[in-house]
Amino acid sequence: MAADNVQQDTSQFTRIYTLAVPPGIKRDGTYFETDEYTDGVWCRFQRGVPKKMGGYRSIFTSLVGIYRGMVAQPYNGVNYIFAGNYKELDVFTTGTTFATGSGPFPVTILPGTSFVPVANSNSITSTITISGNAVATFPNTSHLIFQQTSNATTFTVSSATYGSNVTTVTLTGGTVPSNANTVYLTSNAVFTPDPVNGPYLNNWQFDAQFSPYGGQLYVLAHPAKDLVNIDSGVASQVLIGQITPGNNYSWSFTGLSDSQGQFPTYKPISVDGGVCVLYPFIFVYGSHGFIANNNVNGTYGNQNFYDWNGPLANQVNVGSSKIVKGLPMRGGTNAPSGLFWATDSLIRVTFNPAGSTASTVPSTYWNYDIVSSQISIMSSNAVVEMDGAYWWMGIDRFYVYNGSVQVLPNDKNVNYLFDNINYEQRQKVWATKVPRYNEIWFFYPRGTATECTDAIIYNVKDKIWYDAGQAVGAQRSCGYTTELFPNPIWIDWNYDPILGTAVDVIAHPASLSAPASNQFYLPGDQTATFSPGDSVTFSNVPQNPTYLITGSQNIYNTTVKPPGVTLVTVSTAISPLPVVGQPVYYITGGYNVWQHEYGQNQIALNGETAIYSSITTSDISWISGTPGGDSLIGVNRRMHIRRVEPNFLQSGEMSMTILGRKFASGTMTEDEQDSGPYYFNPNTGKIDLRVEHRLIQLKFESNTLGGNFEMGKLVITAEYGDERP
């Protein structure tokens, strides 16, 4: 019997192999079972080879709160971004080629839930008259306003009577305008911000539609109260506003209502699910399979969004579970058509052009088909359309619809995902796409995380799965990809404020008036630092209240000598009131809006940093085959690697670490024996080494400023090592 150190097969001595590992990252199963790569961070696959994902730069920041939904709509050379958080709806603007612009601009949500035309008003009798019987619209003690402004006078209905085909409404609370032609029903139901300290419930859905009546493009927004519970039955009103700004670069949204057409009810359009557009119709949906759409006037120029009782309008309950998402789809002769996802079924809605001539009574303009009653959906934002197919994450598997519902096969990371997802935070799961790389991304909170910390990725072209490896770039709360703007825009949930140098509050000089509840004095001329549009805070504790500066005035006189003092005015009352000597900080940063696939680094307000990326191969050994995977060896010897010839399209320095194990069941934490790292640059031709293990994995890492890589064919020089494991 030959000694252990005698080479028994000289044909294997210093053989050269090209490394062959199938594309994709396989998390499920054992390392030894896996043929694909076993680990990766911020690394994708293109043409079947690993490639570092792109960088991202901060284009906007917000101090308000985590955004829970967004839409980007290009128009006339400007990319308008609408994003909603717990407190407000914000607008950002960029160009349609480069992400340079302005924002956030808080949207003013006007208080009127719906509007009612006034036939006549009388300031002496404090009455208004409404055509027809509208008594039910004006119950006693309900509130009305005559102007859609936040400080409009609120009137209270004392009585409403019907006679001679008009409704006479008597009001109290002020002087009724003598020339009123519109009155608005008002309440706090138009939009209700969540409490500052939670619970946070607002979860936004958006769509856009052009209105021939007025010739404007409008954005539809729905702040559902279902962030904590996908099955929430709390209704909220759909909001609508023009995509372009008004005076002083401001936006105003109003509540959508049934206020026009032949038989208006003047009721707000309120649902607990969401809103979508199947052009030219608006659809809303919610609990108990509820789906409704507006009426579209046959005269194009008279089409508007406020008729929900005309012949083409409809309301129906098509199931027992809540509908949480709707998207348009190709319908052919039955267009418009759409898909609606309930928590347990998929429903197809199609227009019936023969409805007007149908023999049935009443005639039917819409068809509702249950495509499948045996599906699930993880969250209301867990579905995305790309190339005419619809992809979504269920509660225990993935689905695709392309004419029929099919399970999307996944034997790579399905257990890795569903065994570790935080189901209590399921409504924070969201899906998006990166069309350039044919990718569908599903962001999710992993483990005990309450925000998304990772993303499962499916490459629809190559039909392979991988993931983001819990990279920092996967910590996103929402995002959007348009077909005009070349980069995805995703928003961070991490609060990352930057505090300026503290300046202490001073007592007001005796010759000046005391500050109001939204004012404070600072020493000297601070107007250059504390200027309108900037934000301040009175504590360096993260996420303490911030205040928007609306005025900054340097004051000096014969008593207060130059440089005087600065009176700062903020938008809301300061609570608690600042005391003399308390520091106040100029604050920037907050929640970053990132332009992804931009360069190779993270570019933020506080500088440019490298993005870590890595990829780890499957096991290489003589037990199962050669490093090239071209033949079965089955020899119980260690593999002795003498040389690795890197083959990368590479920027910056990279490193290679050899991870070795003795046994197939050995764990990477207990049995792993690392060698390296071995560093190489784009000009490195070879890495000579003397390393041998029974089972070997190669880990390649990039973590330098401007670092990038795309793997080619690596060349490995290997031979038989020792026989004993």
Side-chain angles (χ1 to χ4, degrees):
M1 180 177 179
D4 288 345
N5 61 349
V6 176
Q7 189 70 42
Q8 297 187 17
D9 185 355
T10 57
S11 65
Q12 291 294 331
F13 188 73
T14 62
R15 288 284 300 271
I16 297 178
Y17 303 90
T18 57
L19 181 65
V21 179
I25 297 176
K26 189 171 183 292
R27 300 285 189 176
D28 296 346
T30 67
Y31 287 119
F32 189 67
E33 171 217 358
T34 300
D35 292 328
E36 295 85 355
Y37 293 85
T38 59
D39 192 14
V41 177
W42 207 242
C43 184
R44 60 165 47 99
F45 291 83
Q46 189 180 37
R47 304 188 322 280
V49 299
K51 174 183 175 66
K52 183 178 180 179
M53 293 177 181
Y56 38 89
R57 65 166 180 152
S58 176
I59 55 177
F60 303 109
T61 59
S62 169
L63 294 166
V64 178
I66 300 174
Y67 288 103
R68 302 295 184 187
M70 63 173 290
V71 67
Q73 182 66 48
Y75 173 69
N76 197 27
V78 179
N79 190 37
Y80 295 94
I81 303 169
F82 293 81
N85 53 45
Y86 83 97
K87 181 182 178 181
E88 64 191 31
L89 175 60
D90 289 335
V91 185
F92 307 86
T93 63
T94 75
T96 53
T97 302
F98 301 102
T100 56
S102 305
F105 301 98
V107 170
T108 300
I109 299 177
L110 302 175
T113 61
S114 60
F115 57 90
V116 183
V118 174
N120 187 34
S121 62
N122 192 319
S123 59
I124 298 176
T125 60
S126 294
T127 60
I128 58 174
T129 56
I130 310 297
S131 299
N133 188 350
V135 172
T137 305
F138 299 94
N140 291 351
T141 71
S142 60
H143 300 294
L144 309 176
I145 56 176
F146 288 94
Q147 293 180 323
Q148 277 276 43
T149 59
S150 57
N151 58 352
T153 300
T154 301
F155 294 81
T156 302
V157 175
S158 60
S159 66
T161 58
Y162 174 69
S164 302
N165 203 32
V166 296
T167 300
T168 301
V169 183
T170 303
L171 305 175
T172 61
T175 302
V176 175
S178 59
N179 58 349
N181 54 26
T182 302
V183 69
Y184 300 89
L185 309 176
T186 181
S187 73
N188 62 0
V190 181
F191 173 67
T192 306
D194 292 328
V196 174
N197 296 319
Y200 302 117
L201 305 176
N202 284 328
N203 191 26
W204 295 76
Q205 290 190 23
F206 297 91
D207 213 330
Q209 176 154 323
F210 179 79
S211 173
Y213 188 77
Q216 292 288 336
L217 184 64
Y218 285 80
V219 173
L220 296 153
H222 182 248
K225 297 290 185 179
D226 61 3
L227 185 62
V228 173
N229 179 15
I230 191 174
D231 210 28
S232 169
V234 179
S236 56
Q237 190 168 3
V238 177
L239 307 176
I240 186 169
Q242 293 184 16
I243 192 170
T244 53
N247 295 333
N248 299 320
Y249 225 64
S250 63
W251 281 262
S252 296
F253 274 54
T254 61
L256 188 63
S257 60
D258 178 30
S259 299
Q260 292 183 351
Q262 189 174 0
F263 305 106
T265 62
Y266 306 112
K267 292 182 179 180
I269 305 303
S270 298
V271 290
D272 54 21
V275 61
C276 71
V277 171
L278 311 184
Y279 192 83
F281 295 89
I282 299 173
F283 276 74
V284 295
Y285 41 87
S287 292
H288 313 305
F290 177 77
I291 299 177
N293 65 274
N294 68 325
N295 178 61
V296 173
N297 195 302
T299 302
Y300 181 73
N302 293 334
Q303 293 178 7
N304 68 81
F305 304 144
Y306 296 91
D307 179 5
W308 291 75
N309 271 291
L312 298 183
N314 198 34
Q315 297 183 26
V316 67
N317 294 81
V318 295
S320 59
S321 57
K322 180 180 175 180
I323 296 177
V324 298
K325 185 66 175 179
L327 288 174
M329 62 171 289
R330 62 185 185 274
T333 58
N334 292 324
S337 300
L339 291 174
F340 292 83
W341 283 261
T343 53
D344 63 359
S345 57
L346 180 64
I347 301 151
R348 180 174 53 222
V349 178
T350 56
F351 185 70
N352 179 13
S356 59
T357 59
S359 59
T360 57
V361 179
S363 57
T364 302
Y365 287 95
W366 295 96
N367 298 325
Y368 304 88
D369 302 318
I370 306 296
V371 178
S372 174
S373 61
Q374 298 295 316
I375 62 102
S376 62
I377 186 169
M378 180 63 74
S379 77
S380 55
N381 292 314
V383 56
V384 65
E385 183 269 338
M386 187 167 76
D387 299 333
Y390 300 80
W391 317 79
W392 73 96
M393 182 194 296
I395 60 170
D396 53 7
R397 55 183 179 171
F398 293 89
Y399 298 89
V400 59
Y401 175 86
N402 194 6
S404 62
V405 175
Q406 299 179 10
V407 174
L408 184 60
N410 182 356
D411 61 355
K412 308 304 179 187
N413 50 31
V414 66
N415 295 332
Y416 173 81
L417 166 64
F418 291 115
D419 288 347
N420 295 283
I421 192 171
N422 186 348
Y423 278 95
E424 292 184 356
Q425 305 294 330
R426 61 180 287 182
Q427 266 291 73
K428 294 175 182 176
V429 172
W430 64 282
T432 189
K433 59 186 176 181
V434 182
R436 175 179 175 180
Y437 296 103
N438 305 290
E439 293 171 340
I440 305 293
W441 287 56
F442 299 95
F443 292 82
Y444 71 99
R446 185 169 179 81
T448 60
T450 58
E451 300 292 341
C452 293
T453 55
D454 206 347
I456 296 295
I457 305 165
Y458 181 66
N459 188 310
V460 301
K461 173 180 173 289
D462 297 332
K463 295 181 174 57
I464 56 176
W465 290 92
Y466 40 99
D467 59 85
Q470 300 189 71
V472 175
Q475 296 176 4
R476 306 290 183 256
S477 63
C478 63
Y480 198 80
T481 301
T482 71
E483 278 63 39
L484 183 61
F485 191 76
N487 301 87
I489 297 177
W490 299 343
I491 303 183
D492 207 321
W493 53 259
N494 290 287
Y495 185 66
D496 187 24
I498 301 174
L499 300 180
T501 303
V503 179
D504 291 343
V505 174
I506 62 172
H508 72 281
S511 61
L512 301 178
S513 59
S517 61
N518 65 331
Q519 295 178 319
F520 55 90
Y521 283 97
L522 297 176
D525 185 0
Q526 303 288 345
T527 55
T529 302
F530 296 86
S531 56
D534 295 330
S535 296
V536 296
T537 184
F538 293 90
S539 172
N540 58 5
V541 177
Q543 288 187 289
N544 263 31
T546 60
Y547 301 90
L548 181 67
I549 299 175
T550 58
S552 181
Q553 180 184 9
N554 179 228
I555 304 173
Y556 56 89
N557 51 38
T558 56
T559 304
V560 183
K561 303 298 183 182
V565 296
T566 299
L567 177 62
V568 179
T569 304
V570 296
S571 58
T572 57
I574 303 168
S575 179
L577 291 174
V579 298
V580 174
Q582 183 172 355
V584 58
Y585 302 87
Y586 171 88
I587 185 171
T588 57
Y591 301 97
N592 284 284
V593 180
W594 300 102
Q595 176 190 9
H596 273 256
E597 303 300 336
Y598 180 89
Q600 304 301 330
N601 304 321
Q602 174 184 289
I603 307 173
L605 293 181
N606 56 359
E608 190 169 359
T609 56
I611 295 177
Y612 175 83
S613 177
S614 70
I615 190 69
T616 303
T617 69
S618 56
D619 282 341
I620 303 170
S621 69
W622 297 125
I623 301 174
S624 56
T626 69
D630 52 3
S631 61
L632 178 64
I633 300 298
V635 175
N636 188 20
R637 281 187 176 271
R638 297 187 180 209
M639 175 176 287
H640 187 120
I641 295 182
R642 300 173 61 91
R643 174 178 293 177
V644 175
E645 299 178 37
N647 182 232
F648 288 87
L649 290 175
Q650 176 185 344
S651 298
E653 186 179 62
M654 292 183 63
S655 67
M656 178 187 70
T657 302
I658 296 180
L659 311 177
R661 301 196 322 280
K662 296 179 180 179
F663 304 102
S665 295
T667 64
M668 300 303 283
T669 55
E670 296 179 2
D671 191 35
E672 180 182 288
Q673 301 175 28
D674 295 355
S675 299
Y678 303 92
Y679 295 95
F680 59 95
N681 58 48
N683 298 318
T684 301
K686 60 184 178 64
I687 302 173
D688 287 324
L689 61 161
R690 298 184 63 85
V691 176
E692 67 174 46
H693 298 285
R694 193 163 179 251
L695 300 170
I696 291 174
Q697 294 178 350
L698 305 181
K699 182 176 183 179
F700 298 94
E701 299 171 276
S702 171
N703 194 25
T704 60
L705 202 63
N708 189 28
F709 68 85
E710 180 180 308
M711 184 184 291
K713 286 188 175 182
L714 274 70
V715 179
I716 296 177
T717 302
E719 63 187 21
Y720 286 155
D722 291 343
E723 183 176 355
R724 305 171 69 94

